[in-house]
Amino acid sequence: MNTNQSPEDLAARIAELDRENSELKRMLNTNPDTGLPIRRVGEQRLRDILQDPPAVVGVLLLRLDGDYERIRGTRDAGRALLVKTILRLRRVLGEHIFQSDRQDEFLCLLTSAERGDSFRATLNAAIQAVAQPHEPPAEDVAFGCRIGVSISDSLGLSAEELLWQAALSLNEAVRGNQPLLYYSHELGARTRARHELEEDLRRQLRSGFDNFYVVYQPIVAEDGVIVGGEVLARWRHPERGLIPPDVFIPMAEANGLIRHIGQWTLYQAVRGLQRLRELGFTGYFSVNISPVQFHQVDMVSRVQKILDGSGLPGESLQLELTEGALLQNTESVVSKVAALRKLKIRFAIDDFGTGYSSLKYLQNFPVDVIKIDKSFVLGISDHPSRREILRTILFMAHSLGVKAMAEGVETPRERDALLAEQCDTMQGYYFSPPVDIGRFSQFISSGGRLPS
Ligand code: G
Ligand code: G
Ligand code: MN
């Protein structure tokens, strides 16, 4: 130690160390990209507020939406836009804004001396502020935000609970494409139930598809002869009973499990067909393919392996894709469709008419069949305008060399109307609901014609 230092030197040195210390602390507590205090600081602020709370405290998590993610990677101006957005938020929300764990997410604290929902107008103003157009050269850039909110009430929730609720609400807002979502007990319970079901799905798939099975819905030609069938997956939950596909399929798409379900369904399709072939059935099975499954890089070889292993000809499989799936990642979709069609596998566009529905891209995608959605079939026998739409779709499909099939045929009059309009094949309760392979076999062995 330097013993020559005077008391004045020592005091100056200590002051300098203090300054460095607080500078260091400030830096550690500040996000270098945005200059905002970090989340931990916000959490401490919330704890402090809750020590002596005003009437209401609002905890919000705000995340810039999908468009921002894109801009950030492609533009130098990404950071400048981020900082400008924070300035806009400051004007509306005040100073209590903190950087959350992600660059595009902020924690904000609001307080009010009044009970009740006094924040809604402020939150709507924040949403508006983020969505305002930007100045040149970013005038073509547009992004919005999602907000999840939790409000402290008289229950005396802790900071941790409030933050957890806000995070849950934000997740649900993002999932449900909603700009603003308040936490509620109902929302919490619904989310928990969904997570449990998702966990069950994962576990039951892992334990060998125990509670899963498939059903097959016959597809008939004009004369009622069964030419094929659609394979549909079913999940019978041991406690909750049958879970509707429109619940578990979207869930499996979101978490990627649909790849396994889809692969398994393909196996069930060829296994079912092998049984039916022994009865002399020469038709095809049509399998729904989710975009997530179709976009796997090795999709083509997976299908090829199943087909090779079965000894069945390619014509015995048809794959159903929705319009949405065809529009994503067009180039790789086109090459996969082409490779699979080389194996003689056929393609159908499912739910035709409900999506983007541009008959134009039928030219880009060499599909074999369009499956006209059941909403277009419903009531065609009684509504001339619906029949006119159907006629137009059929005419355009046929002039492009594409076959047309109608889904959801429920009555003989609908069938007659479809036949009068030259529809090629049909499917629906009028002919048969989806059935197990035993029942399907009976249809084949008793003449293969429906309705029986
Ligand atoms: O029969 P139904 O209610 O089951 O079918 C509901 C929806 O579930 C249909 O839109 C169908 O496309 C979808 N679906 C059924 N089985 C499968 C499957 O194995 N894979 C995919 N991707 N979707 C399926
Ligand atoms: O893959 P897709 O979305 O097309 O699924 C077919 C769905 O239509 C399945 O849920 C199936 O059970 C259902 N379905 C089959 N036939 C009929 C029918 O005649 N009427 C109605 N409303 N639904 C049907
Ligand atoms: Mn389908």
Side-chain angles (χ1 to χ4, degrees), residues 96-111:
H96 294 314
I97 302 180
F98 308 87
Q99 187 74 44
S100 189
D101 304 327
R102 314 163 37 125
Q103 200 199 23
D104 57 357
E105 191 180 296
F106 313 105
L107 166 66
C108 316
L109 305 176
L110 297 175
T111 57

Side-chain angles (χ1 to χ4, degrees), residues 46-64:
L46 178 59
R47 274 184 221 107
D48 293 343
I49 294 173
L50 291 174
Q51 287 289 316
D52 182 17
V56 200
V57 182
V59 176
L60 51 141
L61 279 170
L62 181 152
R63 189 185 298 169
L64 304 181

Side-chain angles (χ1 to χ4, degrees), residues 205-216:
L205 287 179
R206 208 181 287 138
S207 69
F209 286 85
D210 261 355
N211 303 305
F212 290 81
Y213 61 98
V214 294
V215 285
Y216 309 83

Side-chain angles (χ1 to χ4, degrees), residues 197-198 201 205 209 211-213 232-236 241-255 257-258 261 264-265:
L197 193 65
E198 189 167 351
L201 179 64
L205 287 179
F209 286 85
N211 303 305
F212 290 81
Y213 61 98
L232 295 155
R234 294 288 182 263
W235 178 22
R236 192 186 299 284
L242 263 187
I243 308 292
D246 54 3
V247 171
F248 80 83
I249 298 284
M251 188 178 268
E253 284 181 326
N255 62 23
L257 290 172
I258 192 69
I261 297 174
W264 176 83
T265 307

Side-chain angles (χ1 to χ4, degrees), residues 162-204:
L162 286 166
L163 287 160
W164 182 84
Q165 291 182 352
L168 184 146
S169 306
L170 175 60
N171 266 330
E172 291 304 293
V174 170
R175 228 179 68 84
N177 232 342
Q178 283 169 278
L180 177 60
L181 197 58
Y182 280 70
Y183 182 82
S184 67
H185 291 300
E186 202 266 325
L187 180 69
R190 196 154 24 96
T191 309
R192 221 169 303 120
R194 203 185 60 242
H195 285 312
E196 275 168 25
L197 193 65
E198 189 167 351
E199 210 27 64
D200 290 347
L201 179 64
R202 199 182 297 278
R203 207 173 31 239
Q204 290 176 35

Side-chain angles (χ1 to χ4, degrees), residues 296-320:
Q296 292 179 108
V297 283
D298 57 349
M299 173 66 196
V300 173
S301 66
R302 281 168 180 272
V303 177
Q304 181 158 24
K305 234 180 254 165
I306 292 177
L307 194 60
D308 289 349
S310 73
L312 293 166
E315 291 93 333
S316 56
L317 277 184
Q318 174 173 287
L319 304 184
E320 298 187 9

Side-chain angles (χ1 to χ4, degrees), residues 230 288 320 350 371 407:
E230 176 173 2
N288 295 285
E320 298 187 9
D350 203 3
K371 296 187 77 171
E407 299 180 302

